[in-house]
Amino acid sequence: MYQGELKQPVTRLQGIGPKTSKILSAAGILTINDLLKHYPRAYEDRQNITGFKPALRSAEPEMINTTAVVVSHEYFGRPPNQTLKVLLEDESGLSAALVCFGRNFLAEKLVPGRMLLIYGSFQNRYNELQSSSFEFELLPPEATFDTAAEIQSGSDEFGRILPVYPLTGGLSQKIFRKAIDHALKEWAANIETELPESIRKLHGLYSKPESLINIHFPGSEEQQKQAERSLKFEELFHFQFTAARRAWKRKSVHKHQRLSVLPAGFDDLEQRLLKGLGFELTGAQKKALNEIKSDMNSDRPMSRMLQGDVGSGKTLVAFIAALAAAAAGGQAAFMAPTELLAKQHADNAYRLLEPLGIRIALLTGSVKASQRTHLLAALAAGEIDLVIGTHALFGGNVGFRNLNLIIIDEQHRFGVMQRLALTGKNSTADLLLMTATPIPRTLAMTVFGDLDISTIDEMPPGRTPVETHLAAIGNEQKVYDFVRNELHKGRQAYFVYPLISSSDKTALKDAGTMFETLQKEHFRDFSVGLLHSKVDENTKKEIMDRFRDGSIQVIAATSVVEVGVDVPNATCMIIEHAERFGLSALHQLRGRVGRGMHKSYAFLVFSPELTETGTARLKIMKQSSDGFFIAEEDLKIRGPGNLSGYEQSGFLPFTIADLNTDFDLLKDARKAASDLIEKDPGLLAPENNCLRRLFEVCPPFTDEVLV
Ligand code: ADP
Ligand code: MG
């Protein structure tokens, strides 16, 4: 079986000994399969003999591929550090020089009169064409310009389009190319094409062997493009097919327990919660809540993404869902990306849900061992209804008695494996993902095609949009004066910096230094706190508590305050070196203010050396406070593959496809996958083998990658 063979170690290949294989394994290349999947990062076109002419008038170095004859040798520099210069002539009589730094031994090979093939970067210097970076191959002694072209076609390294690989550890392109060449010669022809024939025909795609051969050693640029397209399509097709299958799997299991028999008293509990709030749910919150309740009522597990702009009130909706889960006799787990946020959610849960009889616990990394043991026992015994925590929630020793709702806040902050580990605690539990990084519709359709989406597109009443000002660096004094005025009115402020600390005081402002400056120089009458990721968790909590109760008025921070922090009395957000932050971070940071009844302000302080995208980002921030608009603009600036927040978490782990450039291909692949499934839904069933081996060769994804 060839699949098995492709899993053989690379040492099976000629020329790959222990030393090379060690370098390869450090780069993650262990098997023949890994090797074939290591695609070139570029190509060198060595097909056409150009002569030296193209480099003659170019101001930039020019890549030259040509035949030439050695004319003479020269040496320059002072003895004993002389450097060899080999003078060449091409067929038309144009001369050029090879500067052989540290390679004087080449004099013995490049003897006058000898013909050679040469590929290198040539540049006009000191009135001659020179290259110090070149590769060459000697032609047989009898070769002439007339026969050279013919001879070139028999060469491994010349007369073709050569792949250039991303390599590490001092491995040479030559050795790597040889290895790939061997692997292709021995195995490529037998690799089965697993993308269905009909799809291949329709989209004009290569078979798998053709794809692999032409991605590594294309005969022409068109062939290379075609191979690349075919491999990308395959990857994207698999991505979409996997998403469809996963959706199908989730929808085909039955929940152990559902809410359909709405627990006696739930309505009453919900009413009591809502009455105690002092405000009404917005229409959008109600709608999202109804969608969630209806999912929870169905006998299929919920897979829902709740998206809503910062401050739109997602937490409350999630709490009511947790209340329903608990009222039905189950347990809910609520995971947040930081301890700060988990603590804040827990505080709110104690305030809102505990009076209704919900038993709540907070489980984070800093919970002490003794307390932790106690807590885990209670969780396993079903004595806790709602547990709120960080990734500590999915530790191996955390067991639930009846977990029926999993809530993941700021879901894009979690890696795939973390999300999986929690959903693994009960695969039939309802799943509610929340995000304030809105997913543009285009991406939602394709990448998150298997999730249902609820959107809170309405802000709680009484909020006025945050007034946003841009200030060039140097004008901060005015900003500080303005903030002082706000503080005197009883309001509070955040100052955000791109760095925690810095030893170089001339470069960027940092939170540590500015904390002192703000306290000692600008806000002497007020109390300033410092918050960043290196501050220990207990101190962090204490500072946040004091900020919340008003005994600290100003916080100097890094972007740790970006996520979720909710202090309605804070009205000023000052982001210094704002051009250093991405759009979604800026939007999230600004969302920390404007959460209460007072008018709020954001000041984006920027340095004058702005890049084009830096300027574009600041303009967008000034122009709009609508998270969806900002996300769409972000998409335009950065491309979907770099969508803020998603790229860090390895959300889209493609090996060759790139959503920035291949979005149309993704749509084609999506359609192909859904057409195929529509024709034969049986393909989705796990027991159906017909597609089982699809993508077993070079598998781009496993099921687990999604969610
Ligand atoms: P996010 O969607 O960013 O997670 P939160 O859930 O933190 O937003 O809510 C932001 C603030 O708005 C909280 O202080 C919350 O109590 C308040 N809030 C939520 N819903 C409403 C509402 N319907 N009316 C007024 N205030 C609300
Ligand atoms: Mg939130």
Side-chain angles (χ1 to χ4, degrees), residues 279-282 285 309-316 460-461 463 566 568 595:
F279 52 74
E280 280 266 311
L281 292 185
T282 62
Q285 280 172 313
D309 213 342
V310 283
S312 61
K314 296 181 293 291
T315 317
L316 190 54
R463 303 255 173 100
D566 183 33
R595 304 173 77 85

Side-chain angles (χ1 to χ4, degrees), residues 268-470:
D268 176 48
L269 286 174
E270 189 183 13
Q271 285 317 313
R272 276 169 58 198
L273 173 68
L274 294 177
K275 280 220 183 74
L277 287 175
F279 52 74
E280 280 266 311
L281 292 185
T282 62
Q285 280 172 313
K286 282 182 192 156
K287 181 160 170 282
L289 193 56
N290 282 336
E291 286 161 354
I292 290 167
K293 280 185 194 162
S294 130
D295 282 355
M296 292 176 78
N297 260 327
S298 104
D299 64 352
R300 311 285 184 214
M302 165 165 78
S303 264
R304 188 168 286 278
M305 173 87 85
L306 175 60
Q307 57 174 1
D309 213 342
V310 283
S312 61
K314 296 181 293 291
T315 317
L316 190 54
V317 172
F319 277 175
I320 298 174
L323 186 63
Q331 292 172 295
F334 190 136
M335 179 160 77
T338 62
E339 291 214 5
L340 214 58
L341 198 50
K343 164 87 166 36
Q344 178 180 288
H345 284 326
D347 287 347
N348 284 329
Y350 282 118
R351 185 166 55 84
L352 295 171
L353 299 176
E354 198 172 45
L356 304 172
I358 304 298
R359 296 163 296 177
I360 297 162
L362 173 65
L363 179 58
T364 64
S366 52
V367 170
K368 302 246 156 39
S370 56
Q371 206 185 342
R372 187 185 191 84
T373 314
H374 186 73
L375 202 157
L376 291 181
L379 208 51
E383 290 157 10
I384 286 168
D385 305 310
L386 169 60
V387 62
I388 297 175
T390 54
H391 53 278
L393 278 183
F394 53 75
N397 53 354
V398 182
F400 294 83
R401 181 153 174 274
N402 183 15
L403 178 65
N404 65 3
L405 175 64
I406 296 167
I407 300 165
I408 303 183
D409 194 16
E410 307 291 346
Q411 66 92 22
H412 62 279
R413 300 235 150 203
F414 291 96
V416 169
M417 297 322 287
Q418 293 171 315
R419 274 179 293 216
L420 254 189
L422 190 55
T423 49
K425 301 273 179 199
N426 175 5
S427 62
T428 65
D430 287 317
L431 178 63
L432 181 64
L433 305 172
M434 303 203 286
T435 185
T437 298
I439 299 151
R441 267 169 47 82
T442 32
L443 206 59
M445 252 175 51
T446 44
V447 177
F448 297 90
D450 61 320
L451 290 177
D452 297 311
I453 294 188
S454 291
T455 303
I456 304 187
D457 53 4
E458 180 187 356
M459 282 291 169
R463 303 255 173 100
T464 45
V466 178
E467 198 176 296
T468 301
H469 297 276
L470 307 181

